[in-house]
Amino acid sequence: MPVTTAAGEPSTDRVPGRIWTVRLTGHADRTAAVTCSTTACRMPPRSRDLAGLRAFAAQHAAAHARVATVHANARCHCGFTQCAAHPDTPAHCAGGVALILQHDPVVGRVWTLEEVCEACAPLIPNARILARAARPPRASQRRDGQVPAPQLPASARLGIPGGFSSPTAQPAEDETRQPHRPRRTSRAARPAQRRGQGQGR
């Protein structure tokens, strides 16, 4: 299930959609290397352990996805490339911004993260949506122009959970309606009468 991310107050100015590419490249000596389009990223050295390098590449792409905050004002990167990723299915860029991961498991050499629009996202092959940009909430205002105070859920107004009490905590509504019933004293709790009290021996 895709998550929703937002960065406080998004700018109204449109910015280019970002892209990250992690690539596994083989060499003639049967070694391979992992590269990332972000030059600041540190990559492992060339190795013949293809399975280990492939696992590292997948984890590296996932790490970029976790720390990337989807820009709600980003232009669709797919549309920027004239939708070359899905040339047989044209689309008009529309909707919110989504972060997708494009990876062909058959080839297993390239992991691509892109900020694209919601119209292009389902048309890109071997892509899945990882996150969506949250749209800024619209504050509901009253007729006098004031924003109403947020209402706490009923469970949050009934006091402190877990059986603890507080001097400022109010009793629950159900507790105030129930009549007070005196507790019955069990027979075992009654003081035992002295043998022979009030009776002759």
Side-chain angles (χ1 to χ4, degrees):
M1 181 177 182
V3 297
T4 301
T5 59
E9 295 293 335
S11 172
T12 56
D13 297 332
R14 303 287 285 180
V15 296
R18 296 168 297 172
I19 182 172
W20 298 263
T21 303
V22 181
R23 190 181 304 273
L24 179 63
T25 305
H27 299 279
D29 59 354
R30 296 185 179 180
T31 62
V34 179
T35 59
C36 180
S37 58
T38 303
T39 56
C41 293
R42 297 178 61 182
M43 298 289 105
R46 288 170 56 169
S47 170
R48 293 190 178 187
D49 183 8
L50 297 181
L53 292 177
R54 186 175 287 109
F56 174 86
Q59 294 171 4
H60 188 75
H64 273 296
R66 284 194 301 269
V67 300
T69 300
V70 186
H71 293 167
N73 59 335
R75 294 189 183 95
C76 177
H77 187 271
C78 181
F80 174 75
T81 60
Q82 299 180 356
C83 297
H86 54 92
D88 298 333
T89 311
H92 296 285
C93 292
V97 183
L99 178 68
I100 64 166
L101 171 63
Q102 184 181 12
H103 174 67
D104 187 352
V106 176
V107 179
R109 291 187 177 183
V110 181
W111 292 257
T112 304
L113 293 164
E114 291 181 83
E115 284 180 321
V116 301
C117 71
E118 291 180 337
C120 288
L123 303 178
I124 299 175
N126 300 311
R128 60 189 180 97
I129 297 176
L130 300 182
R132 286 185 170 89
R135 298 177 181 178
R138 296 179 181 178
S140 57
Q141 294 186 353
R142 300 183 305 198
R143 293 182 178 179
D144 56 2
Q146 300 294 327
V147 178
Q151 297 294 326
L152 293 176
S155 59
R157 298 195 304 264
L158 296 181
I160 301 176
F164 295 94
S165 60
S166 169
T168 59
Q170 298 297 325
E173 185 178 357
D174 293 341
E175 294 178 358
T176 58
R177 291 183 179 179
Q178 295 178 356
H180 178 71
R181 296 180 181 177
R183 296 182 178 178
R184 295 181 180 179
T185 305
S186 62
R187 294 181 179 179
R190 293 179 181 175
Q193 295 181 354
R194 293 182 179 178
R195 184 176 181 182
Q197 181 179 0
Q199 295 180 357
R201 291 186 178 177

